[in-house]
Amino acid sequence: MPRYTRVLLLVLCVSLIGECRKHRSRKKRWSAPAGTHKPANPLSKKVVDGTKSRKVKTSHLLRIDEHDFTMRPAFAGPAVPVGVDVQVESLDSISEVDMDFTMTLYLRHYWKDERLAFPSATNKSMTFDGRLVKKIWVPDVFFVHSKRSFIHDTTTDNIMLRVFPDGHVLYSLRVTVTAACNMDFSRFPLDSQTCTLELESYAYTDEDLMLYWKSGDESLSTDDRISLSQFLIQKFHTTSRLAFYSSTGWYNRLYINFTLRRHIFFFLLQTYFPATLMVMLSWVSFWIDRRAVPARVSLGKRILNASMPRVSYIKAVDIYLWVSFVFVFLSVLEYAAVNYLTTLRDGKDRKLREKVKEQSQTLPCTCGMPHTKTMMLDGTYSEEDANSLAGYTRASMVAEDISDKQEQMVVHLSLDNESTGTKKKGIRGFRIIQNTHTIDTYSRMIFPGSYILFNLIYWCVYC
């Protein structure tokens, strides 16, 4: 073949190859992606949304169906450590009558369950509500000595479950519990009470589940706005120890302890002040005339409080009230004694006046006996009595006053004779008892002084 012919064929082949490449690039530029061509009839085929993709279920992600969650984590292995922390939302009430308290709190549990581990590129946790709690294992913590308790369910169950990629779990719930509190009312109402809320696993012993405070004393937090009408909250603190049951074994038990100091001002107004006023009111009778019977009757007031605890031992408030009642009772006895002695003395004076009146009618005339005066006592005369009347003459008496003078003279001498007989017996204290005015005088000092001394001792002992 000639040389020029070979060159011509070579150029022709090169040009054909270039045209083929241009045609391919043009076809690729103007061709649309597959699946985007509109069908001839839009209603004959459903348009596919490429933004939607198939999502993995939570049960598949956590592999819930692949494990038996009726068994604890690491079954047949070491005990599962479960950390606990509590946030007290409110301390609702303290009942002295029922000896219990009501508390609302957030109870949180922390543990690790490798069966719930899941792959995550961002290492973020997943949060669920109470519906997942029924499908997995959770600690069976309950409140020891609780009377009533419930999980809040408005507007849904107040339960939160948070699972981390490495299998760590946070389980939180909002609970209101009413638990017993053994109170000592021997110093009521000047008392302090310490109540305890106890948490424990119901089924798992310390060989299977180890309960502990997650951060020690910092595991318990409270709201600063918590307040009670009758108590001052002094301190919250946590403790833990083992509890033994003879039939099942040893269990870890956690304690939430809080100390309450009772406000005294309410009881000062309602109990102590009225009792003190009642006692002081009874002292008024010591300054009232002993013959004014209606005015000396002491007033009483029944001081009872339905909220006071009904216990079989003596309380501090019982001591104060009973001593106050005793002082009032003694003031009534003092009035009764004064009234009785006054009645006896009035009766004796009345009889003596009647006797003198009878004797004055038979008293002989002393007209012819100058400078002498006679005394008649029980119808007898004596020279000593006659000598004691010297100096009284008939001339010094008015005629119409002779009988009155004689009666007054006989009464005076009769009383002197009775007083002399009493002195001869040597009973000086009996004369003081007979003197009702002296009894009231001593009572005005003894009663207030004794009550003030009692108050000093009482408040020094109980405060």
Side-chain angles (χ1 to χ4, degrees), residues 374-386:
T374 61
M375 181 188 71
M376 178 183 69
L377 186 60
D378 294 333
T380 60
Y381 301 89
S382 64
E383 294 180 358
E384 182 179 359
D385 294 334

Side-chain angles (χ1 to χ4, degrees), residues 107-109 111 133 138-139 159-161 169-173:
L107 179 61
R108 304 184 184 97
H109 311 75
W111 75 95
V133 174
V138 294
I159 298 175
M160 185 268 289
L161 187 71
V169 182
L170 165 60
Y171 174 47
S172 176
L173 59 158

Side-chain angles (χ1 to χ4, degrees), residues 230-244:
Q230 291 191 26
F231 292 92
L232 172 65
I233 303 176
Q234 291 186 323
K235 182 175 63 173
F236 274 93
H237 66 281
T238 60
T239 55
S240 62
R241 66 170 181 261
L242 290 174
F244 177 73

Side-chain angles (χ1 to χ4, degrees), residues 90-110:
S90 64
L91 193 57
D92 301 324
S93 64
I94 304 290
S95 176
E96 295 90 352
V97 177
D98 299 327
M99 287 195 181
D100 59 25
F101 65 93
T102 302
M103 178 187 295
T104 300
L105 51 88
Y106 295 96
L107 179 61
R108 304 184 184 97
H109 311 75
Y110 303 85

Side-chain angles (χ1 to χ4, degrees), residues 360-378:
S360 62
Q361 294 176 357
T362 59
L363 187 68
C365 181
T366 58
C367 300
M369 301 174 60
H371 304 289
T372 61
K373 183 179 289 187
T374 61
M375 181 188 71
M376 178 183 69
L377 186 60
D378 294 333

Side-chain angles (χ1 to χ4, degrees), residues 9 31 77 98 100 149 174 226 265-266 304-305 332 334 346 359 376 392 410 426 439 448:
L9 290 174
S31 61
D98 299 327
D100 59 25
S149 61
R174 183 168 174 251
I226 295 178
F265 187 72
F266 171 81
L304 292 176
N305 195 337
V332 175
E334 190 271 349
D346 291 343
Q359 293 176 354
M376 178 183 69
Y392 290 90
V410 174
I439 296 176

